Amino acid sequence: MVDLYPGWIVQEATITYPVTDGSVLLIEKKRGVGAGLYNGPGGKVEAGESPREAARREVREEIRVRVPALSKFGELIFVFGGDHFMTVHVYRAPGVLGDPEETVEAKPRWVALDAVPYDRMWEDDRYWLPLLLAGRTFRGWFRFDGAGETLRGRFVEPDVTV
C-alpha cells in the first residue's frame, strides 16, 4: 500500500499478460472483484513485496505457471465513485514455463490476439490492452461509478516511460 496523500492509503496491484505465438494467456476470474470476467492473472501487492515480485507470485498462485521474464508496460489508476480504489502495475511476459492449470481462483485460456473477448472483460480494457498487445507502453486513469459497473471517465496516454 502507498500513502500518496496524508490519510489516503492506496492499494497497489499487478496484472500480467503472457503473450507468445500470436496468443495471449487470459484467465476467467472465478471469485473476487471481476468474477466471471476475463483478465490477466494478478492481484494485490503484499507488504514487503515489490510489484514485480507480486506479479510473479500471482501468476504462480492463479494458474500454476512461472513467467520467465516480465516487462512493465503500464500503470493504471482506478477510481470507484469518488475514491481512489487501486493503482495497477501492468506487465507483459514472453510466454510461461509450464502448462497453465485451473485453480479455485481462475480458469486459464490462450486466446488469439485478434479474438480477445473485450465484451467479457472490464470496460476499460478495450482502451489500453490493445496497446500492450501491440508492444506499446501506456499510463491510464479510469473512473467507474461507486459500484464499479459503469465507466464514467477515462484517460490513456500511450508511448510513455513506465
Side-chain angles (χ1 to χ4, degrees):
M1 292 172 114
V2 178
D3 188 2
L4 293 177
Y5 302 101
W8 189 26
I9 302 296
V10 175
Q11 177 66 58
E12 284 187 288
T14 66
I15 191 163
T16 301
Y17 289 88
V19 179
T20 187
D21 298 328
S23 295
V24 59
L25 182 56
L26 299 177
I27 61 167
E28 182 177 1
K29 292 258 308 177
K30 294 169 67 174
R31 64 183 189 183
V33 175
L37 298 177
Y38 283 95
N39 215 334
K44 295 177 183 174
V45 177
E46 296 179 353
E49 187 176 50
S50 73
R52 186 174 301 276
E53 291 167 337
R56 289 181 185 282
R57 176 185 50 76
E58 288 287 347
V59 170
R60 261 191 334 271
E61 289 177 0
E62 290 188 357
I63 56 174
R64 305 289 187 249
V65 294
R66 293 185 354 197
V67 285
L70 286 175
S71 297
K72 187 170 179 181
F73 270 72
E75 288 181 2
L76 303 172
I77 293 174
F78 293 97
V79 177
F80 282 22
D83 298 321
H84 186 163
F85 175 67
M86 191 171 287
T87 296
V88 179
H89 304 271
V90 185
Y91 294 93
R92 180 173 161 154
V96 297
L97 298 174
D99 293 320
E101 297 177 23
E102 184 172 349
T103 65
V104 296
E105 292 196 39
K107 181 176 181 178
R109 176 179 156 205
W110 286 101
V111 176
L113 295 179
D114 61 359
V116 174
Y118 290 107
D119 61 329
R120 298 213 36 223
M121 300 174 84
W122 285 91
E123 189 176 350
D124 63 275
D125 291 0
R126 67 193 70 203
Y127 299 106
W128 60 267
L129 185 54
L131 293 169
L132 177 132
L133 297 177
R136 298 172 66 190
T137 60
F138 55 89
R139 188 172 288 119
W141 172 90
F142 299 92
R143 184 173 60 84
F144 284 83
D145 64 0
E149 295 175 359
T150 304
L151 185 62
R152 300 281 190 208
R154 62 182 166 81
F155 173 79
V156 176
E157 182 180 10
D159 305 319
V160 297
T161 301
V162 291

